[in-house]
Amino acid sequence: MSMNRDFDYSLLAKLTQAFGPSGNEQQVAEIITDNVKDYVESIVTDTMGNLIVRKKGNEQKIMIVCHMDEVGIIVTHINKNGFLYYATVGGLKNTDMISKRVIFSNGTVGIIHKEKDETIDKKPEKLYIDIGAANEQEAKELVRVGDMAVISGDFLENDSVIISKALDDRIGCFIALEVIRTVTSPYDLYFVFSAQEEVGARGAKTAAYAIEADLAIIIDTTFSYDTPKVQNNRVSLNNGVAIKVMDKSIVVSPAIKNWMAKIAAASDIPHQWEIITAGGTDSGPIHLTKGGIPTGGLAIPVRYLHSGNEIVGKKDITAGIDLLTALITTHLYFES
Amino acid sequence: MFLKYLSELHGVSGNEKDVRDYIIENIDNNVDSYRVDKIGNLLATKKGKSNPAIKVVLTAHMDEVGLFITEITSEGYLKFQTIGYMDVNILVSKPVIINNSVYGVIGSKAIHLQKPEERKQSFLIDQLYIDIGANSKEEAEKNVKLGDYAGFTTAFTSFGSGFYKGKALDNRAGCAVIMELLKQQYNCDLTTVFTVQEELGLRGSKIISNYLNADLAIVVETTSAMDNQEQDRENWVVELGQGPACSLMDQATIYRPELIKKTIQIAESYGIPLQLREGTAAANDAGNIHLAGAGIPTITISIPCRYIHSMSSVISQSDYTNCIELINLILNNCQEYINLPHRGWEVMK
């Protein structure tokens, strides 16, 4: 049984605290670039904002995908009194937004709230953001229409878990970074740090088209529903890395998921099955690219996804790093 | 003027032929070649003066929302469904035309006959029908069959202080803008794409995105304005007369900030009014086009439109001409979009 090892979690802190709503992933990409440039052959960006890092090998092309973006909001109007109105970017429920603290790329902080007597339905127009500006002009010095903000949430850790905003999917980026810096693989590795996953896996679509890999492996997060009264939940925290069986965007080929489980078992890496019926991932558009790209996925269980207070287990991170390393250093599923 | 003819032509999604034929007839002398693809999109190319030239795609959808005949009753009335997103409340008593020849009117129970509780409710589409003045099913079937399209008969006019009124301004206004621009010669290579079935979920542009390749794509659209209808300014989205609108984000696309900033700069430096689309609802063909191949840098420029998806839509004449002028300037300065750094940085080893 692999235990949780010590990693440089200050890098994860940096990654999670970076500003990166869909379409504005530059800060995250810069941190990743700084941390991989001594280990890889090339680093490029495309028009969607994907960061594509290649670690060259002579064997088949494997595309390893984790997304850089996080959910957030976009400012649609600034009113005369200096309050902001917004629309959501990615899966955020209105009812969960009241009293949330949001932060813009320039550090401006705002509080989301509602009018005293307003009832909240699905329309975010009924909520506003208070940035403490006295009037329209003062607000416009800090924020422009079209600017995005993210839900803030500090990075905290204890011996077994990490709490932060944006662990979805900076935890995937962190795992990929660890693997890039340590792995020696015969395969031609393309690490895709994808953009705009939260709005419908858009960046992954163009990256998959450009790379045309022989195999794609997604590293994302999955719901951990091990709340106090839930029994028989499929996935729980610190119970191992999850191997994707299906989500709303893909049904993984049995050959791929069984290969992943076999490799995990052979190396004593704790693992569980990810079966979700809501929510898609980058694996959706990737496996349907061109003539079809064999695609599987690893997922790190997270409690309270998209909340600003996401929780992951350190054992699961260890298992994720170990399993990804094992997968890309042994025979691929179609060779074994 | 192109816009008047385009507005009055019938082209409900899937039935765009009349619109396409009109566009072909009127751009033929201004393009190098054109073709119609298998789903019905019209693609016309015009080589630029530069060689090699930047490749720019200009696109607008030809289709409009409308009605589709689903049943002929024994009394000779036509039951129908809407094609595209339409408010059933606006349909009652409107004149329609089927197959460019059969006139009809959308009937419903008169106010006198409605029970008090019925008067408080809106009609459901099942309660409405098209009356073509036929006395029986057999008589109706002589002129109409299931699957025929019905469109509205609004005449295009200018009115008030600088407005146009017409049907299908979404998106014949976009088509007209591109047709006007094709009269010019640019340094860039132009591929103009007039798409089909946008109102059914961006279907025509899905096909285009399977083979499209360009350095920049400009989607020309109309967008719903709620100015002076909604009490709260934050719900207006755009305002008529304040210039064409540049999209920030919609349900299918997040537009690159660098491209938006460049568009604002060009508008400012030439004194063209431009507004930002202060909303994220709905989607347009950019959703497919910006994801074509390895990705195409894409912007959407829209003409603000009141009562969009109705038989009487309203746009501002100055927004229409400013939209043409803004895109003209973008095409003349398109190299500035191409030379933009990819998010400010790129590392190659």
Side-chain angles (χ1 to χ4, degrees), chain A residues 183-196:
Chain A
V183 78
T184 308
S185 165
Y187 301 108
D188 202 5
L189 303 178
Y190 286 79
F191 289 86
V192 176
F193 297 91
S194 65
Q196 300 194 25

Side-chain angles (χ1 to χ4, degrees), chain B residues 278-297:
Chain B
E278 295 194 336
T280 63
N284 65 47
D285 283 336
N288 285 322
I289 289 166
H290 87 294
L291 296 179
I296 298 175

